[in-house]
């Protein structure tokens, strides 16, 4: 499976040419196979939602694969199954300027495509549930801003958001779009051809392509810049964790959408729900870490099943 991008400068204008594999008609490339929707299971989920008065929903990468963003763990189509690449580690990024240079060069090439992804019917459905008063709180493990694009407001981005950038020294927050413009100004003749797309806006470049890429520093203090996300090996802010624990305790049911719950940062809230004896339903293609804790498990596409549910 090949996903190619070419990034080059032409008369001062940056251009991205996506291969046909990344066209709008290929948004399902990263969705693992699933069995046909079981009408009986749909009725069970309908009953679960109908009985819920303070529903908390937790989403993972599986809700965004239908928008064309790959995940890490899906069988055959996730990043781990397609390549031997692994996500960047927090400690490496913080300690090493060359690691930051490589990360930002790859992210610079991948950003136009990553930032252009749009919500799919699952995101819009959850936003509508919030508007109608059915959804009490939404917790997402994703960093793609698709819930925000869909209009969700009662939202916690557990792992941050790629659309924001932080200075590691002074904490100044800036827009990722503004940083893209600074990259372009610093690298007017730089060009690269990338193959492969990763879940967090990353692409694959050679070391030779990266070496000449220039990375701006914080405009306020000159410190190093980092996307406002929790890299692997880092921890979620304890204040945010406590906030989500409180939302779980206030809820009367919990629905997991598109997450295998393999990462503890999300799984711990399932344990809190179990302690509170909340009913738990899981919509995810493939097994999850919490299948034995759920009263209902559905293996279906999020964007196909959720719109079938009447929130009233």
């Amino acid at each position: 499976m090949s996903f190619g991008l070419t990034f080059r400068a032409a008369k001062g204008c940056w251009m991205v040419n996506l291969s046909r594999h990344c066209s709008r008609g290929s948004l399902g490339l990263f969705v693992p196979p699933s069995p046909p929707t079981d009408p009986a299971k749909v009725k069970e989920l309908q009953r679960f939602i109908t009985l819920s008065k303070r529903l908390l929903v937790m989403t993972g990468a599986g809700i965004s694969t239908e928008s064309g963003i790959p995940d890490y763990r899906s069988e055959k189509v996730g990043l781990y199954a397609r390549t031997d690449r692994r996500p960047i580690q927090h400690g490496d990024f913080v300690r090493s300027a060359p690691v930051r240079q490589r990360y930002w060069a790859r992210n610079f090439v991948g950003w136009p495509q990553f930032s252009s992804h749009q919500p799919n019917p699952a995101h819009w459905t959850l936003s509508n549930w919030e508007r109608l008063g059915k959804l009490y709180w939404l917790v997402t493990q994703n960093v793609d801003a698709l819930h925000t694009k869909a209009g969700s407001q009662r939202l916690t981005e557990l792992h941050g958001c790629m659309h924001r950038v932080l200075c590691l020294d002074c904490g100044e927050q800036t827009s990722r779009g503004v940083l893209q413009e600074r990259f372009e100004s610093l690298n007017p003749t730089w060009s690269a051809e990338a193959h492969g797309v990763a879940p967090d806006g990353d692409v694959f470049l050679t070391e030779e392509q990266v070496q000449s890429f220039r990375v701006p520093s914080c405009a306020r203090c000159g410190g190093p810049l980092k996307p406002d996300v929790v890299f692997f090996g880092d921890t979620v802010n304890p204040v945010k964790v406590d906030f989500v624990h409180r939302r779980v305790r206030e809820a009367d049911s919990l629905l997991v959408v598109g997450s295998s719950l393999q990462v503890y940062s999300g799984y711990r809230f399932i344990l809190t729900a179990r302690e509170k004896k909340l009913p738990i339903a899981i919509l995810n293609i493939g097994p999850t870490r919490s299948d034995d804790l759920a009263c209902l498990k559905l293996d279906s596409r999020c964007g196909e099943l959720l719109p079938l549910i009447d929130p009233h």
Side-chain angles (χ1 to χ4, degrees):
M1 194 178 294
S2 175
F3 308 89
L5 302 90
T6 302
F7 213 103
R8 59 186 175 84
K11 296 182 180 179
C13 297
W14 289 92
M15 302 175 65
V16 180
N17 298 321
L18 304 183
S19 74
R20 62 183 176 87
H21 299 286
C22 297
S23 68
R24 185 169 181 82
S26 301
L27 295 182
L29 280 171
F30 302 118
V31 184
S34 60
T37 301
D38 182 348
K41 290 280 191 178
V42 176
K43 288 183 179 179
E44 288 185 59
L45 181 59
Q46 178 65 71
R47 183 173 184 273
F48 180 90
I49 298 301
T50 299
L51 294 175
S52 300
K53 304 305 178 186
R54 295 171 71 86
L55 173 68
L56 186 139
V57 177
M58 177 180 294
T59 67
I63 195 175
S64 294
T65 54
E66 292 172 60
S67 291
I69 300 177
D71 65 6
Y72 288 108
R73 296 179 177 82
S74 286
E75 185 177 355
K76 298 182 180 179
V77 294
L79 181 73
Y80 294 163
R82 291 184 289 111
T83 76
D84 60 359
R85 302 276 182 167
R86 292 297 178 264
I88 191 167
Q89 296 293 310
H90 175 79
D92 295 337
F93 185 95
V94 172
R95 287 190 298 265
S96 171
V99 169
R100 292 194 293 272
Q101 180 191 40
R102 182 170 65 250
Y103 172 85
W104 281 123
R106 289 157 47 160
N107 189 269
F108 172 62
V109 175
W111 179 251
Q113 182 191 4
F114 182 80
S115 60
S116 70
H117 288 296
Q118 296 300 313
N120 64 59
H123 297 97
W124 291 112
T125 296
L126 294 178
S127 177
N128 187 49
W129 288 5
E130 176 188 318
R131 184 175 60 83
L132 295 173
K134 171 57 67 175
L135 187 149
Y136 174 63
W137 203 263
L138 175 60
V139 180
T140 186
Q141 300 170 86
N142 301 336
V143 297
D144 52 35
L146 293 187
H147 285 300
T148 299
K149 288 182 179 181
S152 293
Q153 296 182 2
R154 298 180 66 82
L155 169 69
T156 297
E157 295 170 319
L158 191 62
H159 297 148
C161 181
M162 287 296 300
H163 289 249
R164 299 186 298 267
V165 178
L166 291 177
C167 172
L168 287 173
D169 286 350
C170 73
E172 176 81 354
Q173 184 180 108
T174 56
S175 160
R176 178 61 183 80
V178 171
L179 181 61
Q180 190 76 359
E181 295 174 357
R182 296 184 66 196
F183 281 135
E184 293 172 6
S185 297
L186 280 177
N187 299 276
T189 61
W190 187 83
S191 64
E193 183 173 349
H195 295 279
V197 181
D200 298 333
D202 197 7
V203 297
F204 307 144
L205 299 176
T206 65
E207 290 300 321
E208 291 74 21
Q209 290 172 313
V210 167
Q211 285 175 358
S212 62
F213 187 75
R214 299 180 63 192
V215 180
S217 300
C218 173
R220 179 182 177 185
C221 76
L225 299 175
K226 173 185 174 294
D228 185 15
V229 300
V230 178
F231 283 144
F232 282 75
D234 195 9
T235 57
V236 179
N237 185 311
V239 174
K240 185 180 290 188
V241 172
D242 290 343
F243 177 87
V244 175
H245 275 305
R246 290 197 300 273
R247 300 293 83 75
V248 174
R249 294 188 183 101
E250 292 164 357
D252 67 358
S253 56
L254 192 153
L255 172 64
V256 177
V257 178
S259 176
S260 64
L261 300 168
Q262 292 300 316
V263 179
Y264 181 74
S265 61
Y267 175 68
R268 60 181 146 201
F269 302 117
I270 306 302
L271 299 180
T272 299
R274 182 187 64 174
E275 291 171 5
K276 195 173 180 292
K277 295 182 171 54
L278 299 185
I280 300 169
I282 298 176
L283 169 56
N284 186 70
I285 300 175
T288 80
R289 190 176 180 178
S290 299
D291 285 357
D292 60 330
L293 303 180
C295 63
L296 177 61
K297 171 69 193 323
L298 304 99
D299 286 83
S300 299
R301 289 189 174 214
C302 306
E304 291 182 357
L305 182 54
L306 288 183
L308 300 177
I309 304 302
D310 182 355
H312 295 290

